[in-house]
Amino acid sequence: MIGDDDMESLKVQLPNDLQEATKKMIADSLNSALKELEIKNSFPPYMNKTEARKYLHISSKTLLDWETQYDDIPIIVIDGIQRYKRTDLDEWMQQHRLNK
């Protein structure tokens, strides 16, 4: 049986082409995650209807349909002005995932 001390000293040498492919895969994944985060953070924390639908990549009609169909869509209303909190929309979308 291999103990924790043995695992710490275990080293694996991959062929150069596999090392480079692994490095590229990791770099591509990080770049993709950073790009996604940059796009997400380009939207304000509180959005109007136009910003919210662009953030969700949906049409005005779809947003209106969702507001009619779902009574749990997170909308903030102050003096008749509607705002959508970005993190609330993210959470709401996650709650409606099919494969939770």
Side-chain angles (χ1 to χ4, degrees):
M1 184 169 184
I2 298 175
D4 287 340
D5 292 337
D6 295 326
M7 291 301 287
E8 289 179 21
S9 64
L10 181 64
K11 295 185 182 187
V12 177
Q13 184 66 36
L14 298 173
N16 285 341
D17 59 336
L18 191 52
Q19 285 182 34
E20 291 306 314
T22 303
K23 287 178 188 177
K24 183 179 180 338
M25 183 181 68
I26 292 170
D28 289 348
S29 293
L30 284 172
N31 285 332
S32 178
L34 287 172
K35 203 174 285 186
E36 185 178 318
L37 189 59
E38 186 178 305
I39 290 168
K40 181 178 179 176
N41 287 332
S42 70
F43 286 89
Y46 294 93
M47 300 176 280
N48 62 31
K49 190 173 285 249
T50 300
E51 292 165 329
R53 73 171 185 75
K54 286 180 181 178
Y55 180 73
L56 296 171
H57 302 284
I58 59 174
S59 68
S60 298
K61 182 181 180 332
T62 299
L63 184 55
L64 183 61
D65 289 347
W66 286 359
E67 289 173 353
T68 303
Q69 183 177 356
Y70 300 101
D71 60 355
D72 65 336
I73 192 165
I75 304 171
I76 299 167
V77 181
I78 301 172
D79 293 332
I81 297 172
Q82 289 186 345
R83 289 294 180 262
Y84 304 81
K85 188 175 179 184
R86 188 176 67 207
T87 55
D88 287 350
L89 289 175
D90 291 337
E91 185 178 310
W92 185 80
M93 294 292 284
Q94 287 297 318
Q95 290 170 359
H96 288 84
R97 284 178 58 167
L98 292 179
N99 55 347
K100 297 178 186 178

